[in-house]
Amino acid sequence: ANSGSSNIESTYWSWDPKLSGTGGYLTYQNGIFTPAGTTLPLTPDYAPGYIQSGQPFFVKATTRGAGTVKVEENDKVSSGYRSSAVVGKILNYREILRVNLYSGTGTSVLLDGVAAAFSLPYKKAVSSDEDAVKLSNASENIALKRDGNRLAIESRPLVEGRDTLYLDMYNLKTGNYQLQVLGGNTAIGTSLMAKLVDLSNGTSTPL
């Protein structure tokens, strides 16, 4: 999409029919895509920032009233499975921490994922231009929780001293699950330590 688009947030959501084995929502905002790995998509049918031909996607109006998504011919690319249109804007500087939820029995399957971005200009409060609301899947979900909002992508100021990301997992089934934590230009410096705290049993695991 380009500058001709109007009254839409910088987030879009698309549908991947292969995610979790039953399908799930993918979230893209300001150059961040989730669920995804450190450098490559984790399923073969999408690429960060691209919408495939015929793939459904969703946008949200910034204010009441109609919004416009404008896609021109020069917005498209034609390299293999990336025949699609770019939507959103890219921020060059950000530090990213990802958490992916996998099934924990037999062959692990990616079920869902979230991402947190850290940068000096980002605000602590939830805002539609920096944070992406979570669209819930029919199966298992993981979200970041802040001020009563479930988020797929949360933007935060750079970590100074202490900060907390609140994970919210729901629609879980009886059985085992795995969490994969990935860093890309991570905001956890040499003088800081990250840990995962399980509030259900009080355990703390260094990362």
Side-chain angles (χ1 to χ4, degrees):
N2 55 42
S3 57
S5 301
S6 62
N7 195 34
I8 59 170
E9 294 183 0
S10 59
T11 302
Y12 83 81
W13 301 264
S14 61
W15 179 259
D16 181 356
K18 293 187 177 181
L19 182 64
S20 80
T22 59
Y25 291 106
L26 315 172
T27 307
Y28 177 95
Q29 188 194 56
N30 297 338
I32 303 171
F33 209 73
T34 189
T38 52
T39 58
L40 294 173
L42 294 182
T43 61
D45 290 343
Y46 70 87
Y50 293 83
I51 297 171
Q52 304 304 304
S53 177
Q55 183 180 22
F57 70 96
F58 308 85
V59 296
K60 183 180 179 181
T62 305
T63 60
R64 286 181 177 271
T68 301
V69 178
K70 187 176 182 180
V71 180
E72 296 183 342
E73 193 62 30
N74 60 5
D75 294 320
K76 301 176 182 179
V77 297
S78 57
S79 54
Y81 69 86
R82 293 190 178 201
S83 294
S84 48
V86 179
V87 179
K89 60 182 180 179
I90 303 296
L91 296 183
N92 292 325
Y93 179 75
R94 63 202 183 281
E95 300 174 335
I96 302 171
L97 187 70
R98 302 181 185 277
V99 182
N100 290 324
L101 176 65
Y102 281 85
S103 62
T105 56
T107 302
S108 294
V109 175
L110 176 65
L111 303 173
D112 200 8
V114 295
F118 301 85
S119 185
L120 282 173
Y122 286 148
K123 302 181 290 289
K124 289 185 177 181
V126 175
S127 63
S128 61
D129 60 331
E130 294 180 352
D131 305 290
V133 171
K134 171 72 178 179
L135 293 189
S136 295
N137 303 315
S139 57
E140 294 93 337
N141 290 266
I142 185 170
L144 291 164
K145 201 77 174 285
R146 184 74 61 182
D147 299 332
N149 299 285
R150 278 177 172 162
L151 305 172
I153 300 171
E154 181 178 9
S155 298
R156 304 282 294 166
L158 288 177
V159 178
E160 295 181 359
R162 298 174 64 92
D163 198 359
T164 304
L165 298 174
Y166 298 94
L167 294 173
D168 182 18
M169 295 180 288
Y170 54 103
N171 286 357
L172 301 183
K173 303 172 184 177
T174 301
N176 297 321
Y177 293 91
Q178 300 178 46
L179 290 178
Q180 179 191 46
V181 181
L182 301 170
N185 298 324
T186 54
I188 308 303
T190 56
S191 61
L192 299 175
M193 181 182 69
K195 59 183 178 180
L196 179 67
V197 178
D198 188 337
L199 295 180
S200 65
N201 57 26
T203 58
S204 177
T205 305
L207 300 176

